Amino acid sequence: QVQLVESGGGLVQAGGSLRLSCACAVSRRTFGDYAMGWFRQAPGKEREFVAAIDRLGVRREYVDSVKGRFTISRDNIKNTLYLEMNSLKPEDMAVYYCAAKFVSYVGITTRLYDYWGQGTQVTVSS
C-alpha cells in the first residue's frame, strides 16, 4: 500500500517560484522501489503529464511546456518527491498530483500509475 500527500502549493505571481513536495508512506516495500511522476489538471481540462523520474532518480522526463523551468527530484532517504517550479506562468495554474508505480520507470502515460495523491493547488496571478 502507498499513500501520497502533496504539499507546497499556493498563490504566486507570474515569474515566481514554488517547490512542491510529495511525502510517500509505503508498506512492505520502500519508496525507492517506485517510479514517480507529477501531473496537473486545470479546470475543464484533462489531467496531463508534467514530469517523471525513475526509482533511482537518474532518468527524468518533462512535458515540453515546462522544460528548463521545472525540475523533478527525489530523496529516497526522506521518502519524498519534489517538483521545483521556476518562472511560473498563468498557464501553469492547476491542481498538481504526484503518482507512483512499483516499477523502475513509467514516464508520461497517466493510466499506468497505480497510486495518486489528493493534489495541491497552484495558482499563478498575472
Side-chain angles (χ1 to χ4, degrees):
Q1 189 70 12
V2 176
Q3 292 184 324
L4 304 173
V5 179
E6 302 94 337
S7 62
L11 173 63
V12 63
Q13 287 189 332
S17 299
L18 282 174
R19 187 194 197 199
L20 304 184
S21 298
C22 173
C24 181
V26 180
S27 60
R28 297 191 296 163
R29 297 188 176 113
T30 67
F31 177 62
D33 290 328
Y34 291 81
M36 303 295 297
W38 284 102
F39 293 77
R40 64 187 179 187
Q41 188 166 18
K45 295 187 177 181
E46 292 188 355
R47 191 168 298 187
E48 68 167 352
F49 168 79
V50 176
I53 191 167
D54 71 350
R55 64 183 187 90
L56 297 179
V58 175
R59 180 178 178 180
R60 309 179 192 193
E61 188 172 4
Y62 300 92
V63 66
D64 286 347
S65 60
V66 308
K67 285 180 180 177
R69 300 189 298 122
F70 291 12
T71 301
I72 187 171
S73 62
R74 65 190 298 162
D75 186 330
N76 286 351
I77 302 300
K78 295 182 178 179
N79 291 359
T80 305
L81 176 73
Y82 301 100
L83 186 67
E84 186 76 34
M85 305 187 297
N86 298 313
S87 302
L88 281 161
K89 305 175 180 180
E91 51 263 43
D92 294 318
M93 185 162 58
V95 177
Y96 282 72
Y97 300 89
C98 63
K101 185 176 179 68
F102 180 61
V103 70
S104 180
Y105 184 73
V106 179
I108 69 173
T109 307
T110 308
R111 60 179 173 81
L112 294 180
Y113 288 83
D114 294 323
Y115 303 98
W116 293 83
Q118 294 300 306
T120 185
Q121 176 71 49
V122 171
T123 302
V124 183
S125 62
S126 56

